[in-house]
Amino acid sequence: MPQYPDPGRPLYCARCAAPLGEQKRGGVVRPACAVCGWVYYAKNALGAAVLIESANGVLLVQRKGEPYQGYWMLPAGFVEYGERPDETAIREALEELGLTVTLNGLIGVYFGDDDPRNVAILLVYRATIAGGELRPGDDARAAAFFRRGALPPRIAFQGHRAVLRDWEAGGT
Ligand SMILES: [Zn+2]
């Protein structure tokens, strides 16, 4: 298993605030507290995205902020603690596109390790527009449809590039 940098790696124990040492647990060296026994387990982030397709192609949003400012991606966001990922997908479509959507099943589960904030697992849902008016939200610079063979050259995040490769190949 590769060792990725973890921006959330703590220096102090979350339970007793003692400086953390390291212990091997489950075959992996992890930050651990010699005082109270607390062990830190790094977690992948979970994201949810919607793939909305029309006669004009697939709907993408252009990122307004870092990382990957100006790059395009599927409408997506991180799943909040306690939130169902299908609810995340619907919420992000509303926030980023101004659209209410209906989900039509899971396209796939994708992996990305090129987001400096997190290693991320991305759930991609097929979605259709149920209402609303397309307008980019606060996090987006623009939103537009792109046809097969005419995607923008700069796509943010490995998981998004992978699902769009599958879509261009006709596999989704
Ligand atoms: Zn401790």
Side-chain angles (χ1 to χ4, degrees):
M1 191 173 68
Q3 293 286 303
Y4 294 106
D6 175 11
R9 184 185 179 95
L11 299 174
Y12 298 93
C13 177
R15 196 188 278 162
C16 78
L20 290 176
E22 288 187 328
Q23 282 177 27
K24 197 167 189 177
R25 291 285 182 91
V28 177
V29 176
R30 308 175 194 274
C33 180
V35 178
C36 77
W38 182 75
V39 178
Y40 168 74
Y41 290 85
K43 293 175 185 65
N44 301 304
L46 184 65
V50 289
L51 192 148
I52 299 169
E53 195 175 358
S54 79
N56 296 320
V58 63
L59 185 51
L60 302 181
V61 293
Q62 188 178 30
R63 296 179 60 78
K64 189 182 272 183
E66 296 291 351
Y68 297 101
Q69 188 179 55
Y71 283 55
W72 293 82
M73 61 185 284
L74 295 170
F78 289 117
V79 178
E80 294 289 351
Y81 184 74
E83 187 179 39
R84 294 166 50 106
D86 54 339
E87 291 172 345
T88 307
I90 290 168
R91 174 174 61 74
E92 291 292 341
L94 188 60
E95 288 175 7
E96 297 193 2
L97 305 167
L99 298 175
T100 55
V101 299
T102 305
L103 302 185
N104 309 112
L106 190 65
I107 290 173
V109 179
Y110 291 82
F111 178 82
D113 64 0
D114 62 343
D115 184 337
R117 300 166 297 180
N118 290 106
V119 172
I121 294 177
L122 182 69
L123 308 182
V124 183
Y125 294 90
R126 188 180 308 284
T128 49
I129 298 169
E133 196 128 322
L134 181 59
R135 47 148 191 79
D138 293 343
D139 294 345
R141 187 183 283 172
F145 285 93
F146 293 91
R147 294 177 195 276
R148 279 193 174 80
L151 290 179
R154 298 194 308 168
I155 305 288
F157 306 124
Q158 180 184 359
H160 292 251
R161 288 193 294 275
V163 66
L164 287 168
R165 260 199 311 275
D166 289 349
W167 176 76
E168 287 220 285
T172 65

